[in-house]
Structures are given as C-alpha cells and as structure tokens.
Amino acid sequence: MLKNYSSATEFYLLGFHGSKELHDILFATFFFLYSVTVMGNMVIIVIVCVDKRLQSPMYFFLGHLSVLEILITSVAVPLMLWGLLLPGMQAMSLTACSAQLYLYLSLGTSELVLIGAMAVDRYVAVCNPLRYNIIMDSHTCIWVVIVSWVFGFLFQIWPVYATFQLTFCKSNVIDHFLCDRGQLLKLSCDDSLFTEFILFLMAVFIIVGSMIPTIISYTYIISTILKIPSASGRKKAFSTCASHFTFVVIGYGTCLFLYVKPKQTQAAEYNRVASLMVLVVTPFLNPFIFTLRNDKFIEAFRDVMKRCYQLLKD
C-alpha cells in the first residue's frame, strides 16, 4: 500500500479470486477459447486473401475485422492466462500498463468504426444493389479501412494520457486481470470527476456515433427486405446481413454496458465480466457468426482445404 502522495511506478494485477483448482479450470477454459479465436480468425483472413470469390467489400472488411479481433484478444488474454498459472499477483510497470490500455482502447475504437462501415456496406448492397460496385469500389474500401485504423489510434491518445497524468497513491494493486481504466481511477488521489466526465463524453461519441449509421442502415435494410414479394427473396436478402447484425448486437451491447456511464469506477467484478465479454467471448464468436451460415465462405473453405490436401498428397 502506498502512502503520502508518491505516484505508483509499478502496478500489481490481482487477477481472479478463488482457489488453485478454480484457476486451473479458468485457465483451461480461456486457453481453449483463445486458441479457437486465433485459429478461427486466422482461417477467415487466409480464406479471404486466397479465394477470388471472396474479393468483395463485405469480405475485405471481414478480414480486417478478424485482424482486429486477434489483436484485441492478444493484448490481454496471454497475460491473463499467465496470471492464472502463477500464484500471487502479477507485476506490471507503469509503461506496460499504459501501453496495454492504449492498445486495448485503440483497437476497440477502430473495430467500432469498422462495424459502422460494414453496416453501411450492407445497406448499399441491399438497398442500392445496381450501384453497389460503383459506390463500394476498391478505392473507397481501402480508405474506409485506413480511416478506421488511424482514427482509433489517434482518438485514444488523450484519454490514456489524461488517465496516467493522475497520481496513483491509494494503492498500486489493480483488482483486475488487465490495466482497466475504471480500476486505475479508483487508485487516484486526485479529483478525477472532470476527467471521468470527459472520458464518458468521448465514449458516448465513439459508441453512439458509430451506432447511428448502423441503426439507420438496418432500418432501411429491414424496410427494403419486407417489401420483397417472395419469401425466398426476403430470406436471401436477410441472410447477407444476419451475421453482421448479430455481431453488432453483441458488440454494441457489451460496449454500452462497459463504457457508457458517467461513473467509471464501478465494482471490480462488474468490470471483469464485461471485459471478458469484450476480450474473450466476442472474438471467439466472430468466426462462427460470420461463417457457419455463409454458404459462399463454406464453399471457399472446402476448396482451399482440398487444394491443401492435394499439395500434401503430392
């Protein structure tokens, strides 16, 4: 425990509470989920890159979304797994803590921007199919991806900088498995009310700001699909958007639950569960959501596997 007003230069992550047996169960569970997440998203990236049938904006964005999912989960999960194997608390320097928080928030922001862009892409595909190739050309798609990456990393510079300008003198023990901003604010002796309010406004801006084009896009999409006379036509049109819509509901629901609230210094257990949703559950579900009901992707996957088998056989 720190005394006086000397700021911490090193933090200790408390991780998960419970017995060694519970830690072993959690390690096995999270290791399995992390492994499937990395392998599943890597498969998506490879298939999108090598199969010419998937050279369209939808799959181009999906490939970048998979890259973001791998990076987001890799920012914290390997360290979390290491902490479950070792007894006691994990030491982390101030620099490492700030780097982890910055990468976590920046990658998450880039993902939200990309999800909004994917919603607009689905709107154009369903509502303006004849102009789709003109509007969503390769130049536009590349710029959308560049903007989403650059915006995410620029947008989070000030929030992370402001967080680490505070004096952490109450303790240097973080009751979490990663450098969580809410728990860091709890350790500060400074009056962080104004900083928390600005961080809240910025979270509202990025989450709600990316939700608006998503909501508008899906309002038009649903309206257009309902006007299709044949049931088979409606089913086909909805199938092109169902996977993205499912991902949107899970992703935005978790982010709203975690970040859009004026008081960010909430209970540690609340933070842990919400962070697990963002870092473990959502990235794990991504490959299944986007591929299981996608006939074109499944066909491309089978063809790539056949080619690999033929190469190995020869």
Side-chain angles (χ1 to χ4, degrees), residues 24-312:
D24 291 340
I25 294 171
L26 291 176
F27 174 84
T29 303
F30 294 146
F31 180 77
F32 169 76
L33 295 176
Y34 177 66
S35 300
V36 173
T37 296
V38 174
M39 289 188 292
N41 282 289
M42 281 298 297
V43 167
I44 290 176
I45 295 167
V46 172
I47 301 297
V48 168
C49 289
V50 302
D51 197 288
K52 292 182 179 179
R53 288 168 295 182
L54 303 184
Q55 303 302 306
S56 67
M58 174 183 171
Y59 295 104
F60 178 70
F61 293 144
L62 178 57
H64 281 271
L65 181 64
S66 293
V67 172
L68 284 166
E69 292 285 37
I70 291 173
L71 293 176
I72 287 171
T73 192
S74 296
V75 163
V77 174
L79 185 66
M80 178 185 73
L81 293 173
W82 185 248
L84 287 170
L85 284 178
L86 297 175
M89 295 181 289
Q90 282 182 289
M92 178 178 275
S93 67
L94 186 70
T95 303
C97 185
S98 59
Q100 186 189 58
L101 181 63
Y102 175 67
L103 289 172
Y104 170 56
L105 294 176
S106 298
L107 292 166
T109 301
S110 296
E111 183 174 292
L112 288 174
V113 176
L114 188 59
I115 289 172
M118 291 175 74
V120 175
D121 170 70
R122 292 299 83 206
Y123 158 74
V124 178
V126 174
C127 301
N128 294 281
L130 298 179
R131 299 183 60 204
Y132 180 70
N133 291 329
I134 299 173
I135 297 172
M136 301 301 296
D137 59 10
S138 58
H139 182 75
T140 301
C141 294
I142 290 170
W143 269 108
V144 166
V145 167
I146 291 173
V147 168
S148 66
W149 280 88
V150 173
F151 178 80
F153 279 82
L154 290 179
F155 187 82
Q156 292 297 339
I157 291 175
W158 184 86
V160 175
Y161 173 79
T163 301
F164 285 92
Q165 287 302 298
L166 299 171
T167 303
F168 304 107
C169 57
K170 291 182 179 178
S171 172
N172 59 350
V173 177
I174 299 176
D175 192 5
H176 210 293
F177 59 82
L178 78 156
C179 276
D180 176 71
R181 185 165 63 196
Q183 298 306 304
L184 285 169
L185 292 172
K186 288 177 72 173
L187 304 182
S188 172
C189 293
D190 301 331
D191 183 5
S192 61
L193 193 61
F194 177 74
T195 301
E196 285 189 57
F197 180 68
I198 298 299
L199 293 175
F200 164 72
L201 291 180
M202 293 184 76
V204 169
F205 172 77
I206 186 60
I207 297 174
V208 177
S210 61
M211 277 182 67
I212 290 172
T214 303
I215 293 170
I216 293 173
S217 295
Y218 273 102
T219 301
Y220 279 104
I221 287 170
I222 293 170
S223 175
T224 301
I225 290 174
L226 292 176
K227 291 176 183 177
I228 298 174
S230 66
S232 60
R234 289 194 297 269
K235 184 179 179 180
K236 183 179 179 181
F238 186 74
S239 66
T240 64
C241 308
S243 57
H244 179 256
F245 183 73
T246 304
F247 188 81
V248 162
V249 171
I250 296 172
Y252 280 121
T254 305
C255 288
L256 288 169
F257 183 72
L258 187 57
Y259 294 112
V260 181
K261 51 189 179 298
K263 192 67 175 174
Q264 299 216 357
T265 54
Q266 62 279 344
E269 291 304 322
Y270 176 101
N271 263 16
R272 254 191 290 268
V273 172
S275 296
L276 284 173
M277 285 292 297
V278 173
L279 289 164
V280 179
V281 178
T282 305
F284 170 77
L285 292 175
N286 176 43
F288 301 102
I289 290 172
F290 283 101
T291 60
L292 285 181
R293 297 186 63 186
N294 190 317
D295 294 335
K296 186 183 286 189
F297 186 92
I298 292 172
E299 186 179 345
F301 175 75
R302 285 173 179 167
D303 289 347
V304 170
M305 289 297 101
K306 286 177 183 177
R307 273 182 274 170
C308 291
Y309 175 74
Q310 288 297 329
L311 289 172
L312 292 172

